[in-house]
Amino acid sequence: MTRRLLALLLVPVLLIGAAVADGRHHRTVRGHDARPIQVSANGNPAPTVPPRTPANAGSYLPVMAGRAALDTAWFCVASSTSNPTAPGVVVLANAGPSPARVVVNAVSDSGSTRAATVAVPAEGAAQVDVAGMVKGNWVAATVVVDHGEVVPNLLVSHDGATSVTPCASRTSSNWYFPMGESETGTTEDLVFYNPYPDDASVDVALETPDGPRQPPSLQGVPVPSGQVVVQRVSDVERRRATLGATVTAPTGRVVAARMISFDGSGAAGPLGGPRKGLSLALGQPTLSTGWAWPYSTKADGHADQFVLYNPGQSDATVAVHIGVANPAGVGQIPAIPVQVQAGSVTTFDASKLRQIPGNSNYSVLIQSTNGVPVAIERLGERQTSSAHGLVVTPGSPVQAEEWVLGAVDGRAGQAFVTVSNPGDRSVTVRLRRLDGKGGRVTATQQIAPHDRADFAADQFGGDGLASVVVQADRPVLAGALQEQPRGLSFMLGVPARASIRFP
């Protein structure tokens, strides 16, 4: 056993940033933090906005570092071992041609810690039951990889369904959550993870229908070194239909995620019945002037809403662009303007747009037309006689030629890989399943400009849980949809840094 591996196994929660030597190299494992530019108006502090360049893409969303990286660190948060979800699993997808050695360091909210080492085959995948590693109600994990082409995803089970989210590739001092609620039957938890040797603290500011609030119990919340801390927002601000949240770490840096669940006993939602389901999502570490989703749908029993949060000091004017599948048969849908006042949360209901034909899938791009950045999440719901569920998904501010979808889960229902082409020229996409045997190509297809395509997960083979790489000859957007009788899940893929482009 090398000295490097021994050190990793002996330290339950890695002190990211410390150099660890093996017998051949000296390497430094770094937890990359967002370093945005401070913007101010009238002398008052304002949200921070990083430059929109590929080098800063990791400040906006999780990013795969690529082959040149010697070591990479990822942070998985918000998996609960007992309440309210069943055990969570980290799925490790290795898109590279070399095997990977991965060290997973888990910690629970009770302080229980444990480390595990996992071998992931080249162009293959592996799973780690992180919730089973430690004792407690909530668990977070630092995942350290010996090269830059492994992407971890967190898969949480609940009531016969799964919710999938990428792990974070960076920590940050800012996190934004557009969607929130504390009505009857709703539970909303914010989860903070500090993987560093220095203590951190967080402040939570809420945007409510009655104006901004800074509950005393959510100010100066300590997040000690190597610990995971949970704050139940729905117990602090009760009976709120909307709760946009800004998380700021005045000391240290953290990873923040939100778990929101609806038990079916609350008020009626847009589909007529009370909401029921659970969704897990990372916060957005920065605001952006553009967000996109490769998949939405208009059908009976489905609702698609976009929750826009403007925590800044200036009103934002955005344009909603809809790309319907086979647009030549529909015609161009003119951009739809939406005003988002400063310090407010606005909901745009795409389900009510008459311009979108029934029983059709479409992509969405929302761009600020006056340069004011915002945070946006898509809230998708389903209520039919045989199925229900909901999902809250951040959008992507980037396009890329390569995306890794670590956990396409069709075991309890239907699953699809969905790809949209936002450009003005046709693209050719190739889907490759990471099967550990050289990465089997499962589909190749051309997608017309502003069109999109769906690929059923059953064509990937295996046991119904697949890790897939999407490669295109021009920038695209890619995600994975899971539809189960008791749940709904959608997640964006993780783009490869070298292939990223900001639109």
Side-chain angles (χ1 to χ4, degrees):
M1 180 180 298
T2 65
R3 287 184 293 159
R4 179 176 184 272
L5 177 57
L6 180 61
L8 291 175
L9 291 176
L10 290 177
V11 182
V13 177
L14 291 175
L15 305 183
I16 306 301
V20 183
D22 64 14
R24 299 165 298 163
H25 303 285
H26 291 277
R27 296 179 178 177
T28 299
V29 179
R30 297 180 178 88
H32 301 287
D33 62 293
R35 296 188 181 277
I37 295 173
Q38 180 68 39
V39 179
S40 62
N42 300 323
N44 297 320
T48 55
V49 181
R52 290 169 60 83
T53 64
N56 284 319
S59 298
Y60 285 85
L61 79 170
V63 169
M64 184 178 75
R67 191 168 302 178
L70 296 179
D71 299 274
T72 53
W74 296 79
F75 312 105
C76 309
V77 298
S79 175
S80 171
T81 57
S82 62
N83 180 30
T85 65
V89 172
V90 170
V91 181
L92 302 161
N94 182 4
S98 302
R101 173 168 288 178
V102 180
V103 178
V104 179
N105 293 270
V107 59
S108 75
D109 57 343
S110 67
S112 174
T113 61
R114 187 178 175 187
T117 302
V118 183
V120 187
E123 296 181 309
Q127 300 179 34
V128 181
D129 179 10
V130 291
M133 291 174 63
V134 291
K135 296 180 179 180
N137 290 326
W138 297 84
V139 61
T142 295
V143 178
V144 177
V145 190
D146 63 0
H147 67 70
E149 294 181 285
V150 172
V151 172
N153 288 260
L154 184 61
L155 189 154
V156 179
S157 301
H158 172 71
D159 193 25
T162 57
S163 180
V164 184
T165 185
C167 297
S169 58
R170 292 194 180 196
T171 58
S172 180
S173 56
N174 303 288
W175 295 91
Y176 301 95
F177 298 91
M179 196 274 168
E181 186 175 317
S182 59
E183 295 279 20
T184 300
T186 307
T187 301
E188 179 181 351
D189 293 301
L190 292 179
V191 188
F192 313 114
Y193 176 43
N194 174 11
Y196 295 116
D198 297 323
D199 293 342
S201 65
V202 298
D203 299 329
V204 180
L206 301 175
E207 195 63 52
T208 79
D210 298 322
R213 295 184 181 274
Q214 294 180 318
S217 62
L218 297 181
Q219 309 308 304
V221 177
V223 189
S225 168
Q227 296 298 308
V228 57
V229 174
V230 183
Q231 294 290 305
R232 180 150 293 178
V233 178
S234 48
D235 285 349
V236 177
E237 285 288 331
R238 298 178 181 272
R239 304 287 294 175
R240 299 291 185 181
T242 57
L243 283 172
T246 296
V247 175
T248 304
T251 59
R253 299 180 304 277
V254 299
V255 175
R258 178 204 55 230
M259 185 89 79
I260 188 165
S261 62
F262 299 82
D263 65 10
S265 66
L271 293 172
R275 289 169 169 162
K276 188 173 183 181
L278 173 145
S279 185
L280 164 68
L282 283 171
Q284 297 174 7
T286 189
L287 306 178
S288 177
T289 54
W291 300 97
W293 295 258
Y295 175 85
S296 284
T297 188
K298 184 175 182 179
D300 291 340
H302 288 74
D304 264 321
Q305 298 178 316
F306 293 84
V307 184
L308 299 90
Y309 177 33
N310 178 8
Q313 301 167 338
S314 302
D315 294 350
T317 302
V318 304
V320 181
H321 302 268
I322 305 293
V324 180
N326 300 313
V330 175
Q332 290 290 333
I333 296 178
I336 302 165
V338 177
Q339 191 80 4
V340 190
Q341 294 182 347
S344 74
V345 176
T346 299
T347 299
F348 175 80
D349 195 339
S351 307
K352 297 180 179 179
L353 293 177
R354 295 182 179 180
Q355 301 96 312
I356 303 175
N359 297 315
S360 64
N361 297 330
Y362 56 95
S363 60
V364 175
L365 168 64
I366 302 179
Q367 291 180 306
S368 171
T369 58
N370 67 346
V372 176
V374 295
I376 310 175
E377 290 180 307
R378 170 184 173 259
L379 171 58
E381 297 183 64
R382 179 181 58 168
Q383 288 183 11
T384 67
S385 59
S386 59
H388 62 78
L390 61 86
V391 60
V392 185
T393 311
S396 173
V398 306
Q399 303 165 7
E401 295 176 355
E402 181 176 357
W403 297 82
V404 179
L405 301 163
V408 184
D409 188 5
R411 294 172 297 180
Q414 299 183 88
F416 302 88
V417 171
T418 178
V419 183
S420 68
N421 173 15
D424 296 325
R425 300 174 63 180
S426 294
V427 301
T428 300
V429 298
R430 183 182 70 165
L431 276 65
R432 181 165 54 95
R433 181 179 174 227
L434 301 176
D435 60 358
K437 301 176 182 179
R440 181 168 57 90
V441 175
T442 58
T444 300
Q445 183 171 324
Q446 191 173 67
I447 304 177
H450 308 293
D451 203 350
R452 52 180 309 286
D454 298 321
F455 304 87
D458 55 14
Q459 72 187 76
F460 302 128
D463 63 357
L465 179 64
S467 296
V468 178
V469 174
V470 176
Q471 293 175 308
D473 56 2
R474 295 185 184 278
V476 296
L477 288 164
L481 170 71
Q482 282 90 214
E483 294 182 330
Q484 302 125 353
R486 296 185 180 181
L488 191 65
S489 180
F490 179 82
M491 74 163 195
L492 287 165
V494 174
R497 183 186 302 279
S499 72
I500 286 174
R501 182 176 70 83
F502 278 86

